[in-house]
Amino acid sequence: MALYSVWDWNRNSYRVYTTPTHVSVGDDPTPPKPLVFSPIGANPDTDVKPLPAGAKLIGHDHFARGEIRRMPGGLFDLGDDAGTGGSLWSQPLVMFAAGVATVIAYQAWKRRPTRNRRRR
């Protein structure tokens, strides 16, 4: 059973997740490589790998347990192990499609035939 920790900015603690994959005691995670040079190292919100697919929340802790990961941030944010998570509505492609559908529905509603409409 592998453990992963994700920092929760709202609770100021880690959310701890587990996956059914087995991890050897001697396997250390590869440290993240910062995308931009920073004197304090990697940014945990962007440079760390996302959670693996199927990770389940088991609780909160003030200390990180297992490997530190992040929540996936978008539709094509799959990381090295195809992690998924978050709300469907937070995905950019879904939001774009919902916006297009809203515009089309509004245009159809605006052009609907009415009986007592005055012509301008």
Side-chain angles (χ1 to χ4, degrees):
M1 167 174 86
L3 292 173
Y4 300 98
S5 295
V6 176
W7 182 251
D8 186 348
W9 291 100
N10 296 325
R11 293 183 65 150
N12 287 331
S13 64
Y14 286 98
R15 289 189 305 256
V16 181
Y17 292 86
T18 185
T19 59
T21 52
H22 296 285
V23 179
S24 174
V25 174
D27 290 344
D28 289 333
T30 305
K33 296 179 182 176
L35 300 175
V36 180
F37 177 74
S38 171
I40 60 172
N43 179 354
D45 290 331
T46 58
D47 295 337
V48 183
K49 293 188 286 185
L51 277 175
K56 298 201 183 322
L57 179 68
I58 59 171
H60 292 82
D61 201 341
H62 291 288
F63 300 101
R65 294 173 48 196
E67 187 176 348
I68 295 177
R69 295 288 184 108
R70 66 177 168 83
M71 295 303 290
L75 182 63
F76 299 109
D77 184 12
L78 300 177
D80 292 342
D81 50 4
T84 58
S87 169
L88 177 67
W89 293 106
S90 67
Q91 306 297 329
L93 189 59
V94 173
M95 290 302 293
F96 177 74
V100 169
T102 302
V103 169
I104 290 171
Y106 174 73
Q107 292 297 327
W109 174 79
K110 196 166 85 172
R111 295 179 186 186
R112 74 190 188 287
T114 58
R115 293 183 181 172
N116 297 328
R117 180 182 269 182
R118 292 184 185 176
R119 297 203 180 239
R120 296 180 189 193

